[in-house]
Amino acid sequence: ETGVTQSPTHLIKTRGQQVTLRCSSQSGHNTVSWYQQALGQGPQFIFQYYREEENGRGNFPPRFSGLQFPNYSSELNVNALELDDSALYLCASTSARDRASNEQFFGPGTRLTVL
Amino acid sequence: AQSVTQLGSHVSVSEGALVLLRCNYSSSVPPYLFWYVQYPNQGLQLLLKYTSAATLVKGINGFEAEFKKSETSFHLTKPSAHMRDAAEYFCAVSSMANQAGTALIFGKGTTLSVSS
């Protein structure tokens, strides 16, 4: 069984640019959540996708957007990058069986650095 | 709103000693509670979860946690620490995000150091 994968592993951008991060959910998992983890902090919830629609959103501005595809993979897009967007971005997937308990399986993350 | 407080940002133990990492939660509804571990430059790995089936939850790598509703706590323990347990540990509570969907609300984490 393949786990959650993310690409790229590292990324360097400059302020004002746009970035797209990708996530492939674990086999059979139909829910994908995205988190931002700043250095030395716990992960912060960005949003969740279920059946290709945004299913919940944390306290992040609209320049953070996402997509979920029919194969349940997902993208996180960030426009107008700011220095504070530098962080580890984590993708997590949940199976239909685990939706009630919200057990989430995390990928290795994408390290974004904004200069 | 739900929240998690992890007491102690850094815990140091000797190899073979008891590990105790503290987590207190705040929730207006019965919570689901989780402990995750993060090794350097890696994602989060689930250690164990509480979903109301049993108050004492056993996880991987010899870890366990006890849900105490009266104390709103979910502390993580391991009887004997190994060098490989050195990592960052996060406690999380499950929350309803906005009107639908569920988010995990994480604490700020506790760094566990194990010395020989």
Side-chain angles (χ1 to χ4, degrees), chain B:
Chain B
Q2 295 183 316
S3 66
V4 169
T5 301
Q6 292 185 239
L7 301 175
S9 59
H10 197 170
V11 171
S12 296
V13 300
S14 299
E15 195 171 20
L18 171 71
V19 175
L20 171 60
L21 304 182
R22 299 177 187 275
C23 172
N24 288 89
Y25 69 92
S26 173
S27 178
S28 58
V29 297
Y32 294 127
L33 293 160
F34 305 82
W35 275 100
Y36 283 86
V37 60
Q38 186 175 35
Y39 298 100
N41 300 313
Q42 294 187 26
L44 277 68
Q45 180 183 12
L46 180 67
L47 282 175
L48 49 81
K49 65 178 181 180
Y50 167 76
T51 57
S52 77
T55 57
L56 182 62
V57 181
K58 294 187 183 298
I60 62 172
N61 301 338
F63 285 94
E64 63 181 36
E66 186 172 7
F67 173 72
K68 292 186 177 181
K69 183 178 179 180
S70 61
E71 299 177 7
T72 61
S73 69
F74 190 57
H75 302 331
L76 182 71
T77 60
K78 182 174 181 177
S80 177
H82 292 274
M83 297 292 288
R84 62 176 177 266
D85 295 328
E88 188 81 12
Y89 291 81
F90 293 96
C91 180
V93 62
S94 185
S95 166
M96 294 300 294
N98 297 340
Q99 296 180 353
T102 49
L104 289 177
I105 308 300
F106 285 88
K108 292 186 176 182
T110 298
T111 301
L112 175 65
S113 299
V114 182
S115 57
S116 58

Side-chain angles (χ1 to χ4, degrees), chain A residues 59-77:
Chain A
N59 189 27
F60 280 82
R63 61 188 183 86
F64 285 78
S65 64
L67 285 172
Q68 187 180 31
F69 300 99
N71 66 354
Y72 306 134
S73 66
S74 177
E75 288 183 354
L76 164 65
N77 299 289

Side-chain angles (χ1 to χ4, degrees), chain A residues 7 10-12 17 23 26 29 34 36 48 58 66 73 78 81 83 93 102 107 110:
Chain A
S7 63
H10 295 85
L11 201 54
I12 299 175
Q17 285 188 312
C23 170
Q26 190 162 321
H29 287 195
W34 286 91
Q36 180 195 67
Q48 183 181 91
S73 66
V78 187
L81 283 167
L83 297 179
S93 70
N102 199 22
T110 293

